[in-house]
Amino acid sequence: MINPLDLTGKTVMITGASKGIGRATAIYLSRLGARIAAVARDAEQLAKTLSLADSGNHHAFPFDLSDVEKIPAWMKEVAQATGPLYGLVHSAGVVFNRPLKVLSYKNIADMQRINVDAAILLTKGFKQTGVYEKEGSSIVYLSSTAALKGKPALAAYSATKGALISLARTLAVELAADHVRVNCLCPGLVRTQMAAELNDILPRENLDKLEDEYPLGIGSPEDVAYAAAFLLSPAARWITGTALVLDGGYTAA
Ligand SMILES: NC(=O)c1ccc[n+]([C@@H]2O[C@H](COP(=O)([O-])OP(=O)(O)OC[C@H]3O[C@@H](n4cnc5c(N)ncnc54)[C@H](OP(=O)(O)O)[C@@H]3O)[C@@H](O)[C@H]2O)c1
């Protein structure tokens, strides 16, 4: 029996792999046979992610992505340790839920740096000779339904997630000749620490209202991992420049 999602022998770098969506993605990709290069700042939590993965030749690379200018040189070192990368999932992200009145420039710059600037530099790093697999490879950015549907207090975050959709479209065209596909995932609300922080600031009745907006309920990190696996896999070989919405019907309602 064939498995169209099979990633046996392929190395995938996952940023934000110390928790939430990045961790679930790393674990699921390992079950599909991928070798994981797990990235985040917290080395202990990265080790925990790898302990939950199916056995394989996985690596953890603790790194602070806010050092954006260092990313391309660092990725060369990563590829020397792992061999060429087949895939990249940029799941590391930062959100500040702040109404415009209290949104600081530092908040905006911090989100822009990790959500967007790091995505660009990671892709630039990926595209270096010897760092990526030349026969075909796949990049996935974690955008959000926040890029598609307005919500108060999320203006700057939404702008960073919208930028990722533009980035994927443009780089899909630029990198097609090199057989590198570039796509976005746009999840709605997913139960992770990031979502828990939103819970902390929303009054109970608002949270209930939020859940009501999801015909299939709020998502789990695994729901996003499955979609990431699809976009990475050879089954998606004709898909590039797209933004796949996974939101339990939130934007359809
Ligand atoms: N949860 C949702 O409802 C939801 C919905 C739509 C889209 N998304 C997007 O999905 C992605 C993952 O979200 P999540 O809910 O899994 O978030 P999360 O649980 O808060 O995890 C964020 C991850 O980003 C890493 N990270 C943050 N700053 C970093 C830095 N400077 N350098 C390296 N790594 C850094 C964190 O690792 P360390 O702290 O160890 O560095 C952590 O692994 C984000 O891009 C988010 O915007 C989330």
Side-chain angles (χ1 to χ4, degrees):
M1 197 163 70
I2 61 159
N3 175 2
L5 300 184
D6 186 27
L7 294 172
T8 302
K10 305 216 180 281
T11 304
V12 181
M13 172 183 280
I14 299 133
T15 71
S18 62
K19 55 187 173 209
I21 291 169
R23 168 176 279 166
T25 301
I27 294 167
Y28 186 61
L29 296 181
S30 76
R31 299 206 167 128
L32 294 170
R35 279 191 300 259
I36 305 306
V39 177
R41 288 165 300 183
D42 189 330
E44 223 171 273
Q45 290 304 318
L46 285 177
K48 185 173 174 199
T49 299
L50 295 190
S51 75
L52 296 168
D54 271 20
S55 61
N57 189 15
H58 310 306
H59 291 78
F61 296 98
F63 186 78
D64 186 345
L65 291 167
S66 59
D67 281 336
V68 277
E69 283 170 307
K70 294 190 182 147
I71 291 174
W74 163 76
M75 282 183 78
K76 272 198 170 163
E77 290 169 23
V78 169
Q80 270 161 16
T82 63
L85 302 175
Y86 164 80
L88 165 68
V89 179
H90 180 43
S91 187
V94 178
V95 64
F96 294 103
N97 290 274
R98 300 265 197 285
L100 206 49
K101 217 159 84 177
V102 293
L103 181 70
S104 69
Y105 179 65
K106 181 168 178 350
N107 297 152
I108 300 168
D110 287 351
M111 288 190 278
Q112 171 72 24
R113 187 172 274 260
I114 301 302
N115 299 359
V116 182
D117 298 358
I120 299 172
L121 271 291
L122 282 161
T123 310
K124 191 175 163 68
F126 185 91
K127 236 343 255 11
Q128 298 170 107
T129 302
V131 175
Y132 74 108
E133 263 189 28
K134 291 216 157 128
E135 301 78 50
S137 51
S138 174
I139 295 175
V140 177
Y141 305 135
L142 261 297
S143 176
S144 167
T145 50
L148 311 172
K149 197 162 165 173
K151 278 276 173 218
L154 282 175
Y157 174 75
S158 302
T160 66
K161 294 299 171 178
L164 287 176
I165 296 176
S166 305
L167 186 65
R169 282 210 179 117
T170 312
L171 289 176
V173 174
E174 184 170 329
L175 304 184
D178 295 311
H179 311 288
V180 180
R181 297 184 294 105
V182 190
N183 291 289
C184 276
L185 290 174
C186 298
L189 194 57
V190 178
R191 286 187 202 284
T192 66
Q193 189 164 326
M194 190 177 272
E197 280 160 21
L198 181 65
N199 292 358
D200 290 344
I201 52 174
L202 283 178
R204 184 70 235 165
E205 61 275 20
N206 283 2
L207 185 63
D208 290 341
K209 231 193 267 165
L210 217 57
E211 293 207 29
D212 287 347
E213 291 179 45
Y214 286 77
L216 292 182
I218 288 173
S220 74
E222 288 71 26
D223 291 322
V224 185
Y226 304 147
F230 168 64
L231 286 179
L232 286 169
S233 76
R237 67 183 187 179
W238 204 46
I239 301 177
T240 196
T242 199
L244 177 63
V245 175
L246 50 149
D247 66 355
Y250 166 67
T251 50

